[in-house]
Amino acid sequence: MPIRRALPPIRKLPDSSKLAGLLLMLATLVSLLLANSLYGPRYLSLWELHVGYGLLNKSVAHWINDGLMAIFFFLVGLEIKREVIDGELAQPRQALLPALAAVGGAVVPALLYLAFNHGTPGAAGWAIPTATDIAFSLGILALLGKRVPASLCIFLTALAVIDDLLAVLIIAFFYSDRLHWAYLGGAAVVFGVLVLLNRLRVKTLVPYLVLGAGLWFCVLESGIHATVAGVLLTLTIPLSRIEVLEHALQRPVNYVLLPLFALCNTAIVLSGGWGPVLGSPVALGIGLGLVLGKPLGILGVVALLVRLGVAQLPSLVNWRQMVGLGFTAGIGFTMAIYIATLAFPNSQVVDVAKLAVLLGSVLAAVVGAAVLWFTNDVEEPDEDDTEATLEAEPAEA
């Protein structure tokens, strides 16, 4: 795709991710402080309060994780669809390096986690360290400003989008409950109607959103995790309406939904006994998976492909910057915490996993930011200069 069309959205994305990342950090800090204050019991009981009626009588935490997060996955699906059709993933050669790097960045952390937990009940959490939090990771790059080339932001964006797609597939195939075929059939019927609307070129969003709510309910009750409904719905949204929906959802998701998710899922009571717990196989697998597994997986694949001549590093990016990106991709947070809530039925093990995700993500962020801060061999040209250069270039035949 033309560079002119690719760069402006990517330049704006880190700016929005910067604030989203800061809000997530603030929400996490507030949640931890409240959970460990005199108001801790009341704060924790808030998330267990049940709201709704009949089949939809769920706890507040359940509504957030299975309801509101479906909207988050809907936005993720829209971003994936846009990138595949008219973005960094549109051209196979462009997509090859970040796509395979994302796979490496998922496989190696999973294997490292299983090295500590194979054959134990903790093995169910193998997918926790495979995730990359796009808001936090791009937020880190944004905070570093011109020390980070725009091409590195593009690469991380493409990698994180594919990483999100892998997470959706993992949740669908490995973290769904026993299937209820009646509801699964209902979901198939609703999805078929949505596909028909798309084929009939219906542009109005209302029928898609109304049927999307029905699809979410059927998927929720079918045993497949409800957030998958959000991604399925994006497959049927008309291309001309993707930008409208992304624009409408970006701020509510980044500035309301994700901070609310962080408040709900980082309400962890810290006690003096956490030291030995953090040395447990689950905690070590998650922490080392994020801090070491992610960069090793990403850099290993990139180095192999470059060595074989199949791909080359992004423009204006050197190897030390790729190392910094590898560590930055180890910021799991949102998706990693979410998978942790699905992996373990025991709330105490879930809290151990969440704390390991927090500590591992913070360490990965610090190391990644430090490497990028002290690596400034290539200076990114100003946006005005880039635009002028692009305008001066002759059009391709």
Side-chain angles (χ1 to χ4, degrees):
M1 70 184 285
I3 298 178
R4 176 196 297 277
R5 192 170 53 191
L7 291 183
I10 299 301
R11 285 201 172 98
K12 292 177 183 178
L13 185 56
D15 291 335
S16 63
S17 295
K18 186 191 302 184
L19 178 56
L22 291 174
L23 286 175
L24 282 174
M25 285 189 280
L26 179 61
T28 301
L29 180 60
V30 169
S31 185
L32 288 171
L33 290 175
L34 285 174
N36 293 276
S37 70
L38 294 175
Y39 303 100
R42 292 184 180 180
Y43 178 67
L44 294 173
S45 65
L46 169 66
W47 306 115
E48 298 304 320
L49 182 67
H50 274 64
V51 179
Y53 180 77
L55 292 175
L56 294 179
N57 183 13
K58 312 288 185 183
S59 68
V60 173
H62 198 156
W63 275 112
I64 291 172
N65 290 336
D66 283 359
L68 294 182
M69 285 301 285
I71 301 174
F72 167 72
F73 276 86
F74 178 59
L75 179 59
V76 167
L78 291 173
E79 292 173 346
I80 292 172
K81 187 171 182 177
R82 173 173 51 79
E83 289 297 323
V84 168
I85 293 172
D86 190 29
E88 281 300 299
L89 307 180
Q91 300 297 327
R93 187 169 179 81
Q94 285 180 311
L96 181 64
L97 188 62
L100 294 181
V103 173
V107 171
V108 174
L111 293 176
L112 188 55
Y113 179 91
L114 288 174
F116 287 92
N117 293 275
H118 179 67
T120 72
W126 63 270
I128 297 172
T130 64
T132 295
D133 189 295
I134 190 169
F136 262 134
S137 55
L138 281 175
I140 293 293
L141 298 193
L143 290 172
L144 295 173
K146 291 185 178 180
R147 289 179 178 272
V148 178
S151 54
L152 197 68
C153 292
I154 295 172
F155 182 86
L156 180 58
T157 301
L159 184 147
V161 165
I162 297 166
D163 192 282
D164 284 342
L165 177 58
L166 292 175
V168 170
L169 295 175
I170 288 171
I171 290 170
F173 287 105
F174 296 99
Y175 293 106
S176 292
D177 299 325
R178 185 170 55 88
L179 297 180
H180 299 277
W181 293 102
Y183 285 108
L184 195 60
V189 171
V190 175
F191 183 69
V193 175
L194 284 164
V195 171
L196 181 62
L197 289 177
N198 181 280
R199 293 292 186 184
L200 294 175
R201 302 186 182 278
V202 175
K203 304 296 184 184
T204 307
L205 286 174
V206 173
Y208 291 97
L209 299 181
V210 171
L211 287 169
L215 178 64
W216 170 83
F217 175 77
C218 290
V219 172
L220 174 69
E221 297 299 325
S222 72
I224 298 176
H225 206 269
T227 51
V228 175
V231 179
L232 290 176
L233 178 58
T234 62
L235 299 177
T236 66
I237 297 297
L239 298 181
S240 61
R241 311 303 287 169
I242 289 179
E243 186 176 352
V244 174
L245 283 169
E246 280 191 300
H247 181 74
L249 291 175
Q250 199 79 49
R251 289 185 178 180
V253 167
N254 284 342
Y255 305 152
V256 179
L257 193 156
L258 290 182
L260 188 60
F261 171 85
L263 284 171
C264 172
N265 288 281
T266 57
I268 306 170
V269 178
L270 305 175
S271 62
W274 276 107
V277 170
L278 290 176
S280 67
V282 168
L284 287 174
I286 294 171
L288 293 177
L290 291 172
V291 178
L292 295 180
K294 269 291 184 180
L296 286 175
I298 292 171
L299 290 170
V301 169
V302 171
L304 178 63
L305 293 178
V306 172
R307 177 83 174 181
L308 294 175
V310 177
Q312 58 186 10
L313 290 181
S315 61
L316 302 177
V317 173
N318 58 46
W319 279 109
R320 280 178 290 175
Q321 288 169 325
M322 283 301 299
V323 171
L325 178 138
F327 280 102
T328 305
I331 305 173
F333 201 78
T334 305
M335 199 69 79
I337 288 178
Y338 185 68
I339 294 175
T341 64
L342 304 177
F344 303 117
N346 188 310
S347 61
Q348 291 182 332
V349 180
V350 172
D351 282 348
V352 171
K354 289 178 180 178
L355 193 57
V357 168
L358 292 177
L359 295 177
S361 295
V362 168
L363 183 56
V366 170
V367 174
V371 172
L372 290 171
W373 178 266
F374 291 108
T375 303
N376 195 27
D377 293 345
V378 181
E379 189 170 327
E380 176 79 346
D382 291 337
E383 183 173 350
D384 293 340
D385 295 339
T386 303
E387 293 291 337
T389 302
L390 291 172
E391 289 176 2
E393 291 179 352
E396 294 182 1

